[in-house]
Amino acid sequence: MTGKGPVLPAFARSAGRRLFDLAVVMLSVATVVFVLLRVVPGDPVLILGGLDVLDREVIARARESMGLDRPVAEQYAVWLGNMLRGDLGLSLRSGIPVTELVGRALPPTLQLGAMALLIGVAISVPLGVAAARRAGSPADMGITTFAILGISTPPFVIALGLIYLFAVHLRLLPVAGYVAFADDPLGNLRTMAMPALTLGLVTAGVLVRIMRRSVIDELGEDYVRSARAKGVSETRVVYRHAARNAAIPYVTILGIEAGVLLSGAIITETIFAIPGLGRLMIDNINQRDYPVVQGAVLVVALIYVLINAGVDGLYRILDPRVRAGEGQ
Amino acid sequence: MKNLDRRLFLKTAGAGVVMAGTGLLTGLRSPATAANRGGTVVIGVPESFSSLDPFRRIGRLDYNAVINLLDTLVHVGADAVPAPGLAESWDRVDDLTWRFRLREGVSFTDGTPVDAEAVIYGFARIKEGNFGSQFARIDEVVALGEHEIEVRTSESFPTLLVELAQQYASIVSPAAFEAAGDGFGRMPVGSGPFRIERFEPNRELVMVRNEGWWGRDAEGNALPYLDRVIWRVLPDNETAALALGTGDIDFLYTLPPAMAPLMMADPNITVSSGATFGWEYLFFDCTRPPFDNVHARRAVQFAIDRQAIVDAVSFGTSTPATGPITPSSWAYNSANPGAGLIGPGADLERARAEMEAGGLSDGFEVTIIHPTFPELSAMAQALQAQLAEIGIRVVLDGKEIGGVLDHLFSSNFTCLLIDWSGRIDEAMVFNAFFKSDGGNNFGKFADAAIDEIVDAAAAAPTIEDRAALYHEAERMIIEASPHAWISVPSELRAMRANVTGFVNVGDVRLRAWTLAKG
């Protein structure tokens, strides 16, 4: 390699490829969601009134005012055309622009995801490393048990447990609800603490196991033996050498977990009444509010793609070999 | 003619008292007092709001917000009596003409006066809206003065007052409606007891007292008592119940029957139960086997042990339904409930006799489609066991509600279990379900004699005449059994003990202007 010359065009090429991939993914998701929603039984106009079946003429007028009387192909073409211009349409139920609904739902979900990941990392790194260092000891057994409990306990059980403890018994936190950070930072943290902890504990369970396994693997590598032979302190060996290399599988799983959090958010946001993307999706799937579900799923797909891109970016930082590979 | 309508209301008022008396858990709360003026009540609601535009087809919860924000010409009073609203009085001049005198000095919360012009504008919006067909008989509405209008109809419209009390007949500020365009549902402006302060459909609706509202309590104190009502979306039932227990919220909008016993044991919580006008019921397709055979339908009707289902499925919170007219209706035939044909228990002998009369002694197999809600699923299972007694092998087909409605609306079912929230006038029920061209007649039931008597009952001049005709219509309908009615659900609400003044009308509307917090 001769300096940075060839690296930039290669990077640009890879960015171009990524954008193309992104477009293909989004178009596929958009189409699949559109088709699925119309294949699933259930008519938005009927569901809106619940079980109160009503006059056919009322139904027909409502359907017309929602644009549902037009052919499906036409609805698809119109929606796709508008989407390309950044217009995701209007909610069938409320007439509110979908971009606005999604825009309002995004911050709570992103905040919840970020807090949960932070909690997951804060718990899993020290515990995972500690367990690896004392592999087979009672401490390791305890940590592994904790991890398995975290993975196998459904989030709603954790959530209800936390509510009983912090809201009902100790009366420290409100049972459920949401306050925007901008309106009331402290209130926001009080309402987000339990949901973030719920998802954070689940994530921590997965991450502890990955961290432990990876560090154990790295500790068996030749370079660790060399470092020890050089007289490097054990703490330095573990954290500077082994843990850093163990970070690559850890970050991969972290990326996957970030995606999993979005689906975990559906239950958690429902229990804790957080008006995020998960709630927006589940509410509107139940109501068959097609444009809202389509818009929300597109945004979730976009987040997945961006997380993956982020993970790839982290590889470049963590592992020089990835960077070197791009020049070839 | 005015007196006749008054009598209808008085009769209905009587029914309201009966309803309060039959509330199984707690009847009406003690009246709120002006001493408790002020404060905020937080109401936990189980789903997001959609739109508060009354002229669109919106959800049940949305109507609960609308009734507190937008006023109507006619009200449904605390005792289910249609009472003066924005119209302080009215006359039925002749069969086709009604005159309404509007309250003077009332304004919408944007300052526009509520006068004849605004009300005429309102009628035009009502007729243009999704529910316009309900008012198709109205030919024109004209101003007789600044505060008097005349409504002229093309044919007799005996249920006009009841229709005008519905939320889709709300009177809105013309200025605000024109300015808002499609966005009216997000910031509706009317002249109701409250005005909207903040609205986030997925999270919270905050409304504050409309200081200029005309409503007064029995002692002449201005209503509403509360400064502010917050409707907070809490989609999970368990969480919502816990939030009521800790006092995070003051009022739980819907209490699942299974949770009622637990709530009633808590001294800090009051549970209110009011019988509704609705049913949980089986729909038969009267044109396809086996239910094209009236004996098959009657066999099912007689084989159902309604009391057992009520006790097991709704924990005793609902009541057995022995016909289309519910006990809280002014048309209920208390002298001869179930037309002497069906009672709360099963009559297996009679059911078997019907099977035999219909040539069905060997029994038959039938699929019942039902929504997968917990109560209706349990009810379907109970029906399966009960019908097995007379040789009917029931296959249950539980579906998500969207799928059930698809089957119902396209009349693609043999037998289908569902519920209906009811209406406060029998004309709205009988015309829709039991006339051969009725909008809700999904089982394609047709009987010329019933068509005739249902028309006659809707148009009869006095309440006594109407009730007598509905009694006869009910008997004929039970004999033909296009449905099998099972139970009348109750409206279950739970609140903190310091919340007073709640009136459970049973029409699935929460009137927050009578609430106070002590």
Side-chain angles (χ1 to χ4, degrees):
Chain A
M1 283 211 293
T2 56
K4 286 188 174 179
V7 175
L8 274 178
F11 178 69
R13 260 206 314 280
S14 112
R17 203 171 51 236
R18 269 188 190 290
L19 274 178
F20 178 75
D21 289 349
L22 176 68
V24 171
V25 168
M26 298 307 280
L27 187 68
S28 316
V29 169
T31 308
V32 168
V33 172
F34 187 94
V35 172
L36 273 184
L37 277 174
R38 274 144 188 93
V39 170
V40 171
D43 178 321
V45 182
L46 296 182
I47 291 174
L48 188 51
L51 302 180
D52 266 347
V53 190
L54 262 175
D55 207 86
R56 280 164 202 273
E57 203 170 323
V58 174
I59 303 288
R61 280 212 203 184
R63 185 170 286 129
E64 195 185 312
S65 66
M66 292 179 183
L68 293 171
D69 54 332
R70 285 186 255 148
V72 173
E74 186 187 328
Q75 292 180 40
Y76 178 68
V78 168
W79 177 65
L80 215 56
N82 289 341
M83 192 181 80
L84 292 176
R85 291 195 300 274
D87 173 6
L88 293 175
L90 302 177
S91 157
L92 296 179
R93 289 205 299 161
S94 62
I96 299 175
V98 173
T99 42
E100 184 186 327
L101 289 172
V102 171
R104 273 175 186 241
L106 203 48
T109 299
L110 291 182
Q111 187 194 350
L112 178 60
M115 286 175 70
L117 274 188
L118 221 61
I119 292 171
V121 170
I123 294 175
S124 63
V125 170
L127 285 189
V129 172
R133 285 177 74 175
R134 299 170 189 78
S137 73
D140 176 30
M141 300 273 279
I143 291 171
T144 308
T145 307
F146 163 81
I148 290 172
L149 274 178
I151 295 167
S152 49
T153 312
F156 76 89
V157 174
I158 300 180
L160 287 176
L162 291 175
I163 291 175
Y164 271 111
L165 180 62
F166 290 108
V168 177
H169 192 68
L170 298 174
R171 302 277 167 126
L172 286 175
L173 297 170
V175 173
Y178 173 79
V179 185
F181 190 82
D183 291 345
D184 175 5
L186 185 67
N188 170 271
L189 292 179
R190 279 167 51 83
T191 53
M192 292 298 256
M194 287 192 290
L197 197 54
T198 302
L199 288 178
L201 285 173
V202 176
T203 310
V206 177
L207 294 178
V208 162
R209 286 175 56 81
I210 292 299
M211 195 53 160
R212 175 182 175 276
R213 183 75 255 157
S214 309
V215 171
I216 288 175
D217 286 350
E218 292 300 327
L219 286 176
E221 292 285 327
D222 289 347
Y223 72 89
V224 169
R225 205 177 326 131
S226 311
R228 282 182 177 143
K230 276 198 309 189
V232 177
S233 79
E234 187 61 18
T235 309
R236 200 175 156 84
V237 166
V238 170
Y239 282 97
R240 279 301 292 271
H241 298 278
R244 175 153 183 168
N245 284 325
I248 290 179
Y250 182 83
V251 164
T252 308
I253 300 296
L254 193 67
I256 295 172
E257 277 299 300
V260 172
L261 281 180
L262 287 172
S263 53
I266 292 178
I267 295 165
T268 312
E269 288 179 357
T270 300
I271 293 178
F272 290 104
I274 293 169
L277 267 184
R279 266 277 308 292
L280 189 70
M281 281 195 288
I282 200 75
D283 273 8
N284 290 289
I285 288 171
N286 288 337
Q287 296 282 345
R288 307 287 189 279
D289 197 331
Y290 301 143
V292 181
V293 179
Q294 286 160 193
V297 170
L298 273 185
V299 171
V300 169
L302 186 65
I303 296 175
Y304 267 101
V305 173
L306 291 178
I307 289 172
N308 275 313
V311 169
D312 286 358
L314 274 178
Y315 285 162
R316 293 165 51 83
I317 295 168
L318 290 170
D319 189 347
R321 285 170 299 183
V322 176
R323 264 171 290 175
E326 272 171 10
Q328 288 160 10
Chain B
M1 297 288 279
K2 182 176 172 184
N3 277 340
L4 294 179
D5 298 311
R6 285 285 180 219
R7 278 158 73 195
L8 185 156
F9 296 155
L10 289 174
K11 181 96 180 183
T12 323
V17 173
V18 169
M19 190 170 60
T22 51
L24 284 162
L25 307 174
T26 316
L28 300 178
R29 297 284 303 143
S30 57
T33 62
N36 292 336
R37 198 171 179 78
T40 299
V41 160
V42 183
I43 301 171
V45 297
E47 62 194 52
S48 299
F49 292 93
S50 59
S51 164
L52 305 182
D53 180 341
F55 310 128
R56 292 170 71 110
R57 179 156 160 77
I58 53 179
R60 274 186 207 178
L61 175 65
D62 301 315
Y63 284 123
N64 277 279
V66 168
I67 195 175
N68 287 290
L69 294 168
L70 306 178
D71 218 336
T72 47
L73 289 176
V74 180
H75 274 209
V76 179
D79 35 12
V81 180
L86 284 173
E88 62 182 7
S89 65
W90 48 79
D91 282 311
R92 195 170 177 183
V93 180
D94 59 46
D95 206 29
L96 303 179
T97 315
W98 298 72
R99 277 191 194 146
F100 293 87
R101 268 168 308 281
L102 306 178
R103 240 168 249 284
E104 292 188 27
V106 176
S107 295
F108 297 106
T109 52
D110 63 356
T112 319
V114 183
D115 53 15
E117 195 187 337
V119 171
I120 289 169
Y121 177 89
F123 269 95
R125 299 292 78 72
I126 294 164
K127 289 199 75 170
E128 269 174 16
N130 289 171
F131 293 88
S133 55
Q134 317 288 106
F135 297 91
R137 277 173 281 180
I138 295 181
D139 265 351
E140 57 175 344
V141 184
V142 294
L144 300 181
E146 202 184 334
H147 295 287
E148 188 167 14
I149 58 157
E150 187 168 285
V151 178
R152 298 171 188 159
T153 62
S154 57
E155 52 187 292
S156 178
F157 196 168
T159 53
L160 175 65
L161 294 179
V162 179
E163 289 286 359
L164 288 178
Q166 303 295 313
Q167 269 53 65
Y168 48 72
S170 296
I171 303 298
V172 299
S173 158
F177 195 84
E178 290 296 320
D182 286 343
F184 190 73
R186 307 177 63 178
M187 260 314 149
V189 178
S191 60
F194 294 90
R195 63 187 164 79
I196 202 162
E197 185 178 71
R198 189 158 50 79
F199 183 31
E200 296 173 46
N202 298 332
R203 189 172 85 81
E204 232 169 52
L205 165 63
V206 182
M207 41 179 81
V208 293
R209 176 168 53 210
N210 171 12
E211 300 286 351
W213 196 51
W214 53 266
R216 297 288 179 273
D217 67 10
E219 283 107 59
N221 300 302
L223 292 172
Y225 302 112
L226 295 171
D227 293 335
R228 187 177 261 100
V229 177
I230 299 175
W231 306 69
R232 184 172 295 159
V233 181
L234 295 172
D236 183 68
N237 283 333
E238 295 282 345
T239 319
L242 290 172
L244 183 68
T246 62
D248 282 6
I249 61 172
D250 303 296
F251 199 108
L252 195 56
Y253 171 82
T254 39
L255 177 63
M259 285 188 183
L262 197 68
M263 288 282 177
M264 288 164 68
D266 186 334
N268 297 315
I269 290 171
T270 310
V271 173
S272 163
S273 166
T276 65
F277 300 91
W279 331 294
E280 286 146 336
Y281 65 112
L282 283 175
F283 238 122
F284 300 117
D285 185 328
C286 301
T287 62
R288 83 167 79 176
F291 295 124
D292 55 343
N293 181 343
V294 64
H295 297 290
R297 304 200 296 264
R298 288 209 288 240
V300 172
Q301 190 81 272
F302 295 137
I304 297 172
D305 185 345
R306 294 168 174 81
Q307 190 64 52
I309 291 180
V310 161
D311 291 343
V313 174
S314 72
F315 301 87
T317 59
S318 57
T319 47
T322 54
I325 303 177
T326 59
S328 32
S329 165
W330 54 265
Y332 183 67
N333 189 351
S334 51
N336 192 19
L341 295 168
I342 42 179
D347 187 342
L348 292 179
E349 224 163 278
R350 211 165 184 169
R352 289 198 185 100
E354 290 291 346
M355 292 290 274
E356 204 155 309
L360 300 164
S361 310
D362 296 338
F364 55 84
E365 185 174 299
V366 65
T367 299
I368 299 182
I369 297 174
H370 67 90
T372 48
F373 300 132
E375 279 95 35
L376 289 178
S377 292
M379 192 173 286
Q381 286 158 18
L383 288 170
Q384 185 179 40
Q386 293 181 358
L387 297 182
E389 296 279 322
I390 57 165
I392 301 177
R393 295 175 298 281
V394 173
V395 178
L396 295 180
D397 184 8
K399 290 178 187 301
E400 191 252 4
I401 181 63
V404 174
L405 292 173
D406 280 354
H407 279 270
L408 180 63
F409 205 70
S410 58
S411 294
N412 178 22
F413 61 89
T414 305
C415 188
L416 188 146
L417 175 69
I418 197 155
D419 73 357
W420 152 256
S421 69
R423 293 290 179 273
I424 57 171
D425 193 277
E426 295 307 333
M428 297 163 110
V429 181
F430 278 65
N431 294 356
F433 282 98
F434 306 123
K435 283 188 64 180
S436 46
D437 62 350
N440 288 2
N441 181 8
F442 299 109
K444 292 169 281 185
F445 171 68
D447 184 320
I450 289 176
D451 283 351
E452 207 170 295
I453 194 167
V454 166
D455 276 342
T462 72
I463 190 68
E464 287 79 9
D465 294 344
R466 291 189 68 200
L469 286 166
Y470 279 123
H471 293 170
E472 178 58 12
E474 183 181 47
R475 191 193 57 76
M476 291 163 74
I477 289 165
I478 291 174
E479 290 213 328
S481 291
H483 301 166
W485 305 274
I486 300 163
S487 57
V488 178
S490 285
E491 202 168 293
L492 287 176
R493 321 268 206 190
M495 65 209 83
R496 301 289 299 176
N498 63 349
V499 175
T500 55
F502 174 62
V503 181
N504 202 332
V505 177
D507 65 347
V508 212
R509 299 276 191 277
L510 201 168
R511 294 161 174 83
W513 60 86
T514 66
L515 295 182
K517 193 172 171 182

